[in-house]
Amino acid sequence: MTPARPRLGRGLESLIPLPTENDSGGIRMVPVDEIKPSSEQARRQFDEDPLRELAESIRAHGLLQPVLVRRVPNGYELVAGERRWRASRMAGLDRIPAVVREGTDDSHALLLGLIENLQREDLDPIEEARGVQRLIEHFQLTHEEAAARLGKHRVAISQALRLLNGCPAVQSAIASGAISSGHGRALVGLNSTEAQELGLKVIIARRLSVRQTEAWVKSYQAPKPRRESKKPAADPDLDALAEELSERLGLPVELSGSGSKGRITIAFDSPSDLEIILNRLS
């Protein structure tokens, strides 16, 4: 049985205080069509089956947990809760409850959205790593500072980011669950796309464990490049002599060499050809 993945730390409620009667935002019913998703959403894939199940629940009981939005010129932008918003649209709701933040700037909205999404348990490891990377890059954080924001250990942050060094095939396999994050961290130790792709094939074909993968990576040796033999420059005199011999014998002849040394090669395909060569030479 696969152990549950650890949550990333503090709940979002510690970063987003609940609205009060005096709050300029608060919970209100917002038209679904006036809400648009954030371009900074860490999650890229939304599985249809769980989404349909959530839509059925919302259709029967309504949306019990409001989404978090902020005002933008043409309506509202999601800060957190895109899955609930998508399911509400699928359920045919016209309006949904939303916590509206009136004065949230772009940076604050991005921070809240990233942290909320990174605290979800259903993000795949690659989505999680990309979200952490986006958080670090946008706010120019160190791994230690990002870990503090997310309530995680610095090592966990560094290990998550290592997965982004995998080639596209390796990242895709991790995201789909074909291999684990442990397999992926072992494979990124290989410094070429070709080696990582080969390692991925070996893991899947042999069903290697993480430890077996680490041992395979440690023992892997890249194939040495094949040296192409340098063909000596053609000698016009030898070529002419080879052609003359070929005409006399009626068989292909090659001459190679330089200076006073060389080799004659006469090709024959049958005993009768060999007999012709011997007769001509005698």
Side-chain angles (χ1 to χ4, degrees), residues 84-133:
R84 279 166 277 151
W85 170 72
R86 286 175 178 266
S88 297
R89 293 180 64 192
M90 189 179 291
L93 270 60
D94 295 325
R95 293 173 176 269
I96 59 174
V99 176
V100 181
R101 287 298 185 187
E102 302 285 354
T104 305
D105 60 21
D106 290 345
S107 293
H108 190 215
L110 172 61
L111 175 62
L112 295 180
L114 283 172
I115 291 177
E116 194 271 349
N117 279 291
L118 288 171
Q119 288 174 344
R120 298 183 63 87
E121 293 184 350
D122 54 355
L123 282 180
D124 70 58
I126 298 300
E127 288 175 330
E128 183 178 309
R130 286 173 180 160
V132 172
Q133 184 183 50

Side-chain angles (χ1 to χ4, degrees), residues 235 257-262:
D235 186 329
S258 61
S260 58
K261 294 183 179 181

